[in-house]
Amino acid sequence: MNDTALTDFVAATAAKYDMPGIAVGIWVDGREIIANYGMTSTENPVPITEHTIFAIGSTSKTFTATALMRLVADGRVDLDAPVRTYVPELTLLDEQHAATITVRQLLNHTAGLEWNIINNTGEGDDGLAAFVATLSELPLIAAPGERASYSQAGFNLLGRVIEKVTGEPFEKVVADTVFAPVGLEESFYFQRDIMTRRFSVGHERQEDGTLAVARTWKGSRANNPGGGLGTTVSDLLRWGRFHLGDGHTASGDTVLPTEVLQRMQQPTVNLRASTLADAFGLCWMLREVDGVQLVGHGGSGFGQFADFQLVPERDFAIVVLSNASPEGIPVNQAIVRWALEHYLGVIDKDPEPLPFDAERVRELLGEYEIDAMTATFLVEDGQLLLDCKVKPEIRAAAPEGAIPQDHPAFPIGLLPNDEYIVTEGSFQGQRGFLTRDDRGEITALDLAGRVFTRIP
């Protein structure tokens, strides 16, 4: 079903941000509303529909978590058991760390693992096993359970837990235990399955303002649990209705007991000043907006962006998929915010930053890092900026096109309590905070749920 107001807003937003293609699906008042705009590719333009496959990046984690929770419901996995119960060969930089992290801590990003290792362990059935064998190189950012820090590696490790418990490849387990019973017929991990269907490609904004097709469509097979799914608005709306329901399919089959499905949506760890969420559930990102609880997950990669949000108390779901970087972030956010206000009367807005304070700014200037990136606070013409770059050695070692291009530095405004917000550009509204040691010195930067350690 179409809604003229939604269709018009999507078209206007696409024009404002020069977005090649957008697919939107909404479940509200017991009906589906669809709005599609534009083309799959600037080079080979095919109209976007609700059956166009997009790479949804980290939104894939919701499928991994659901498959894992099926094993929990069946008594085959204990959330509070050490990960080594299921993956005894796990080796990390610290032996005690490897011996104590639990399955639950992987699900809610409190395992103390750095974001990821960027490598390619092949497309064979041993890809995840080979990836896990490299985790001895992964930096550790906190003791298990000490704090939340978003980890792609942690979810890829969960995929290996699923493989070890079932004795089957990760992708087959998800297809058999999640896709098939829920009725998801347009969701695939392998490009060989996607290439014969209508699919979107990503685009990257070039320095001259033009868009170029991203030649890499998704990451390697080992990244499938954390971010490797291709799917459609049609399937994601069905996915949303499943998680808004009671864990049963339309035929009455139980995919997840109601108690387990609802447990996934309960907060397990609170987040501070995070655009991602106010709290993590079991995978789900939880936010309170204008008095209502949102349950959702976003995703991005190689010029494609996904935003998937549920409002359980209002039986509402929205999916937005777009195909150009970096504008996909503000495009998706604008459409989600418009839909929340238009259909539910829920207003989502950013906090106002404090006036520029040179003394406060001075103490945070400098460089911070994770394994693959640096983030540098600097001042230009009286404006605080945050410049995020992939490390040159990481980019040089990767195949051409395998790592998305860097974005221009973000204008930053400071908030109370060592928090900050991006004030302009494609990442407007992104929030984070600074960490201090016992002496009051700034030692780390939290950006998009990841801890960047200050470089002395």
Side-chain angles (χ1 to χ4, degrees):
M1 180 175 181
N2 295 323
D3 181 311
T4 301
L6 175 63
T7 300
D8 290 347
F9 184 81
V10 169
T13 304
K16 176 180 178 180
Y17 290 97
D18 188 25
M19 182 62 54
I22 305 173
V24 181
I26 293 173
W27 172 256
V28 62
D29 297 331
R31 62 193 176 108
E32 288 188 359
I33 301 172
I34 301 294
N36 302 305
Y37 173 88
M39 300 294 172
T40 57
S41 168
T42 55
E43 292 187 4
N44 183 29
V46 177
I48 297 283
T49 78
E50 63 269 33
H51 302 294
T52 299
I53 296 174
F54 285 73
I56 63 168
S58 287
T59 307
S60 308
K61 290 180 174 67
T62 65
F63 296 84
T64 301
T66 302
L68 189 284
M69 293 304 290
R70 282 208 61 174
L71 297 175
V72 172
D74 291 342
R76 301 176 70 183
V77 171
D78 179 351
L79 287 180
D80 294 313
V83 174
R84 274 191 175 169
T85 304
Y86 311 105
V87 188
E89 68 272 23
L90 175 65
T91 303
L92 300 175
L93 282 173
D94 179 79
E95 168 60 22
Q96 184 63 22
H97 201 122
T100 56
I101 59 170
T102 67
V103 176
R104 186 188 304 274
Q105 288 168 344
L106 295 180
L107 276 169
N108 70 2
H109 299 285
T110 61
L113 303 180
E114 179 60 278
W115 171 62
N116 205 8
I117 294 177
I118 297 178
N119 58 16
N120 187 338
T121 54
E123 297 303 306
D125 286 351
D126 63 346
L128 261 180
F131 174 83
V132 169
T134 71
L135 291 180
S136 58
E137 307 167 15
L138 183 72
L140 305 174
I141 55 90
E146 184 175 277
R147 59 156 298 157
S149 183
Y150 189 83
S151 177
Q152 189 85 348
F155 257 78
N156 292 336
L157 177 54
L158 278 175
R160 184 60 179 155
V161 171
I162 291 171
E163 289 190 337
K164 294 282 280 191
V165 170
T166 63
E168 299 278 3
F170 164 79
E171 298 85 1
K172 184 178 188 304
V173 177
V174 178
D176 291 347
T177 65
V178 178
F179 295 167
V182 177
L184 306 179
E185 299 179 350
E186 300 173 344
S187 299
F188 307 97
Y189 286 105
F190 297 114
Q191 288 180 240
R192 63 175 180 261
D193 296 317
I194 293 165
M195 65 181 290
T196 59
R197 295 167 169 84
R198 184 180 308 214
F199 64 92
S200 172
V201 300
H203 300 80
E204 299 280 353
R205 184 76 59 188
Q206 306 302 296
E207 291 186 4
D208 63 1
T210 61
L211 287 171
V213 167
R215 299 298 169 189
T216 301
W217 202 81
K218 56 168 284 187
S220 66
R221 185 171 179 179
N223 202 51
N224 280 349
L229 188 63
T231 189
T232 67
V233 157
S234 180
D235 262 15
L236 285 171
L237 280 180
R238 186 180 295 271
W239 187 233
R241 291 175 65 182
F242 168 74
H243 275 280
L244 287 169
D246 61 2
H248 293 71
T249 65
S251 64
D253 297 330
T254 301
V255 176
L256 278 184
T258 303
E259 179 273 330
V260 175
L261 184 146
Q262 293 176 347
R263 196 192 329 167
M264 293 177 69
Q265 300 177 9
Q266 300 305 309
T268 63
V269 57
N270 292 328
L271 303 180
R272 176 185 168 196
S274 174
T275 305
L276 293 177
D278 299 328
F280 286 137
L282 296 177
C283 175
W284 289 114
M285 297 181 179
L286 313 175
R287 286 198 304 141
E288 183 175 313
V289 177
D290 202 14
V292 302
Q293 184 80 0
L294 270 63
V295 176
H297 211 295
S300 64
F302 307 107
Q304 300 198 63
F305 296 82
D307 202 341
F308 177 74
Q309 299 292 330
L310 312 175
V311 185
E313 64 192 80
R314 305 288 290 273
D315 193 33
F316 177 89
I318 179 168
V319 182
V320 186
L321 307 175
S322 55
N323 64 0
S325 176
E327 292 81 11
I329 293 174
V331 162
N332 290 7
Q333 182 186 69
I335 293 170
V336 169
R337 285 182 167 181
W338 182 91
L340 289 172
E341 181 175 3
H342 183 79
Y343 295 106
L344 303 183
V346 171
I347 308 297
D348 186 9
K349 59 183 179 181
D350 296 327
E352 288 292 328
L354 299 170
F356 184 86
D357 182 335
E359 183 175 347
R360 188 179 173 203
V361 164
R362 191 176 302 115
E363 66 173 334
L364 58 84
L365 296 179
E367 195 171 22
Y368 305 72
E369 67 174 351
I370 57 174
D371 60 319
M373 298 182 68
T374 58
T376 305
F377 277 117
L378 64 150
V379 174
E380 291 183 0
D381 299 324
Q383 171 68 63
L384 177 62
L385 302 174
L386 183 58
D387 191 23
C388 297
K389 304 291 187 188
V390 174
K391 290 180 177 178
E393 64 271 23
I394 297 293
R395 189 175 291 283
E400 185 176 356
I403 298 178
Q405 66 185 26
D406 295 320
H407 302 296
F410 318 140
I412 295 290
L414 297 182
L415 300 168
N417 303 316
D418 283 333
E419 298 175 4
Y420 69 85
I421 185 169
V422 179
T423 57
E424 299 176 29
S426 298
F427 292 84
Q428 184 173 346
Q430 298 283 305
R431 296 176 62 189
F433 65 92
L434 300 155
T435 298
R436 295 179 185 268
D437 62 17
D438 293 340
R439 297 173 297 177
E441 296 180 358
I442 294 172
T443 58
L445 157 72
D446 189 282
L447 174 65
R450 302 164 190 166
V451 179
F452 285 65
T453 303
R454 191 168 196 169
I455 301 174

